[in-house]
Amino acid sequence: EPEVTQTPSHQVTQMGQEVILRCVPISNHLYFYWYRQILGQKVEFLVSFYNNEISEKSEIFDDQFSVERPDGSNFTLKIRSTKLEDSAMYFCASSSGTGVNNSPLHFGNGTRLTVT
Amino acid sequence: GQNIDQPTEMTATEGAIVQINCTYQTSGFNGLFWYQQHAGEAPTFLSYNVLDGLEEKGRFSSFLSRSKGYSYLLLKELQMKDSASYLCAVRVIYNQGGKLIFGQGTELSVKP
């Protein structure tokens, strides 16, 4: 069964450094998402992406965050200047449809980001 | 605003049936989804409802009442491996996005 893949599985970085989290969504999916989950807390929406642009972003997704789909397969999340509170598990997800073509989001295994 | 409530934790016995409830208040509703999440792992899709009624998928069933803002997930013939967090999530349509908003999750412990 096709799956969403994320790299790296773990990333340790120093405060103030930039990180790029990478994702390869399922190949025929059109809708892409980033979520984060701080340890012991709920899964939180960061951003959705469709047709090569951001369709919605949350309050968490401030100017330090950006997303890109640089080619036909990768979907990246960049955090420009990491803070201690950015430490979390970051999940990428993709879906083939929404609205009348509703289909579930499929999640990757996540990247555990630790900011020291 | 958006609000999703589900019990924090539940305990059940192997072989039994357990029902996990979820209530929600949201705008732009486009479906109620249930996911399973083991500690340190990704959410895994279980079931979803867009229309009122019951959806059955093997040992898992999910029910939705849109007028009441209520859903439940029913797990039958519980196994030890079903010990996990169960996440209720509402899909919201906004500007082509279709994001999921998650509840806090219900931590289910299955005991022998």
Side-chain angles (χ1 to χ4, degrees), chain A residues 31 33 35 37 40-43 45 48 50 55-56 89 91 95 97-99 102-109 112, chain B residues 30-31 33 35 37 40-43 45 48 50 87 91-105:
Chain A
Y31 299 83
Y33 309 83
Y35 285 81
Q37 187 174 32
Q41 297 187 24
K42 66 179 179 180
V43 178
F45 169 75
S48 58
Y50 170 74
S55 45
E56 189 178 1
M89 182 76 101
F91 291 109
S95 167
T98 185
N102 209 346
S103 71
L105 273 64
H106 295 267
F107 287 80
N109 285 330
R112 181 166 297 285
Chain B
N30 187 228
F33 291 73
Y35 284 79
Q37 187 180 32
E41 298 184 9
F45 169 70
Y48 81 106
V50 178
L87 314 181
R91 192 158 205 185
V92 176
I93 290 295
Y94 173 79
N95 194 26
Q96 304 268 23
K99 69 184 179 188
L100 286 179
I101 302 171
F102 284 88
Q104 189 70 28

Side-chain angles (χ1 to χ4, degrees), chain A residues 2-6 23-26 29 92-94 106-109:
Chain A
E3 56 182 29
V4 177
T5 57
Q6 289 185 243
C23 170
V24 179
I26 295 173
H29 284 188
C92 174
S94 69
H106 295 267
F107 287 80
N109 285 330

Side-chain angles (χ1 to χ4, degrees), chain A residues 76-88:
Chain A
T76 62
L77 174 69
K78 182 190 289 187
I79 310 175
R80 249 179 287 282
S81 178
T82 50
K83 305 173 198 165
L84 294 176
E85 55 264 37
D86 294 328
S87 295

